Amino acid sequence: MDQQRRKVIVQEIEHWQKSKLLPDHYCDFLLNLYAEQAEQPKPSARLTGRAAEAARSASGKQWLFAIVFFSLICFVVLHFNAFHPLLQIGITAVGFVLLLWYGQRIRRKNEAAGIAVIGMDMLGLLGMGVYLLHQHGYDGWSSKALLLAGSALLWIGYGIGARLSLLHLAGWVVLLLLYAWVLARRDAEPPWYEIQLYWVPMTFVFAWFSWFIQRWSRPVAAVLFIVGCFIWFMPELYSALFVEDRAWPQLLLFAKIAIGGGLLFGLRKQWIAWVA
């Protein structure tokens, strides 16, 4: 019976008792009956309360399935290194897809929780990739670079498709860091003007793509615009990380802050319109 209806019935019985419409022993019996039902504690709305209620009401078959499933997970974890590499890749892929599906499902009810699950799934896939490369002896630079590039492209593609701008942005950041890594391996001490040529033209390319794509997707255009602004300062960040002579980068940083701020202020009506 509904909790509110029980309260109404209890109030009505108390009214009967005060008005002497029923004998006191009848009223006491009814009050004890309905008051006990009304005061029964509800299951907790928290996750632990829902889990406890689900465990209490689960059938024997459901308990057996949970035990078998948990045992299977433990078996896979304990013997994962002994599996064939293709089986390891298959298990990793299936786990990734299932967790991605679960994150997308709970995202409909709780946006933050769903994004957290999807983010951990993406990072877990990257971590498993690094682990498998190291386990099978493919831990060279090219293998790690391909893994990072593949993960970044996956993040970009899924971020656009699922409308996760943060994941989309993270994919571009990983690609930019990978590009910086490639440049550092190619030339340890390039002059300052070459470093600017490595990065600055890409700023205008991303700004143009942001303007071009904004007619179809404002979130994607906003991410591309942010990436373009980030690339504008990448030469100075690259110099701080990989170049010992830091006098020129510091001067250029302040100059580019002034130039970039002036451009953003002068063109604010245009770029705000296509990213807002």
Side-chain angles (χ1 to χ4, degrees):
M1 186 181 295
D2 183 70
Q3 187 76 9
Q4 186 63 31
R5 185 175 297 179
R6 289 196 188 100
K7 292 181 180 179
V8 173
I9 293 174
V10 169
Q11 292 174 358
E12 190 68 23
I13 295 171
E14 291 175 347
H15 173 71
W16 292 344
Q17 190 175 26
K18 291 178 182 179
S19 304
K20 302 298 182 180
L21 297 177
L22 282 177
D24 287 342
H25 60 278
Y26 286 151
C27 293
D28 291 338
F29 172 76
L30 293 173
L31 283 173
N32 291 331
L33 177 64
Y34 285 102
E36 288 178 0
Q37 292 180 354
E39 292 172 0
Q40 286 180 353
K42 289 184 178 180
S44 174
R46 295 181 300 177
L47 180 61
T48 54
R50 294 197 301 268
E53 180 62 22
R56 186 185 64 81
S57 59
S59 63
K61 291 183 179 179
Q62 290 173 326
W63 272 96
L64 179 62
F65 174 78
I67 292 172
V68 173
F69 183 72
F70 183 72
S71 300
L72 180 61
I73 292 177
C74 292
F75 175 80
V76 171
V77 172
L78 292 174
H79 299 277
F80 186 80
N81 291 340
F83 294 156
H84 190 274
L86 292 178
L87 182 58
Q88 291 177 339
I89 295 173
I91 292 173
T92 303
V94 170
F96 168 76
V97 172
L98 290 177
L99 194 58
L100 195 64
W101 169 81
Y102 176 71
Q104 198 63 34
R105 181 181 177 183
I106 65 174
R107 187 184 168 202
R108 302 189 189 103
K109 300 178 181 179
N110 190 324
E111 182 76 12
I115 292 176
V117 171
I118 293 172
M120 289 188 295
D121 190 28
M122 293 292 179
L123 291 176
L125 181 65
L126 178 60
M128 284 300 300
V130 173
Y131 175 77
L132 291 176
L133 289 177
H134 178 72
Q135 183 187 17
H136 298 288
Y138 296 100
D139 51 354
W141 180 87
S142 58
S143 300
K144 293 179 180 178
L146 288 174
L147 176 63
L148 286 174
S151 298
L153 292 175
L154 175 63
W155 296 359
I156 292 171
Y158 190 83
I160 294 174
R163 297 183 179 181
L164 291 173
S165 298
L166 189 60
L167 186 62
H168 179 194
L169 178 62
W172 282 115
V173 170
V174 171
L175 283 182
L176 292 178
L177 294 177
L178 182 60
Y179 177 64
W181 192 14
V182 172
L183 292 179
R185 287 177 56 86
R186 175 182 174 272
D187 192 349
E189 293 289 338
W192 66 269
Y193 56 87
E194 285 190 9
I195 298 176
Q196 298 294 325
L197 291 175
Y198 290 153
W199 294 97
V200 172
M202 287 194 295
T203 298
F204 302 101
V205 173
F206 274 86
W208 182 85
F209 271 112
S210 176
W211 168 82
F212 182 75
I213 292 175
Q214 55 88 21
R215 66 193 72 181
W216 294 291
S217 177
R218 292 290 179 88
V220 174
V223 170
L224 294 177
F225 185 80
I226 293 172
V227 173
C229 294
F230 181 65
I231 294 174
W232 178 254
F233 296 104
M234 274 301 295
E236 287 66 43
L237 179 60
Y238 177 88
S239 299
L241 293 176
F242 299 107
V243 180
E244 294 183 359
D245 184 12
R246 300 182 181 181
W248 277 107
Q250 292 179 7
L251 295 175
L252 288 171
L253 175 62
F254 293 114
K256 290 173 74 172
I257 290 174
I259 295 172
L263 288 174
L264 290 177
F265 177 77
L267 301 174
R268 62 189 184 280
K269 294 183 179 180
Q270 286 75 24
W271 66 265
I272 289 177
W274 78 63
V275 302

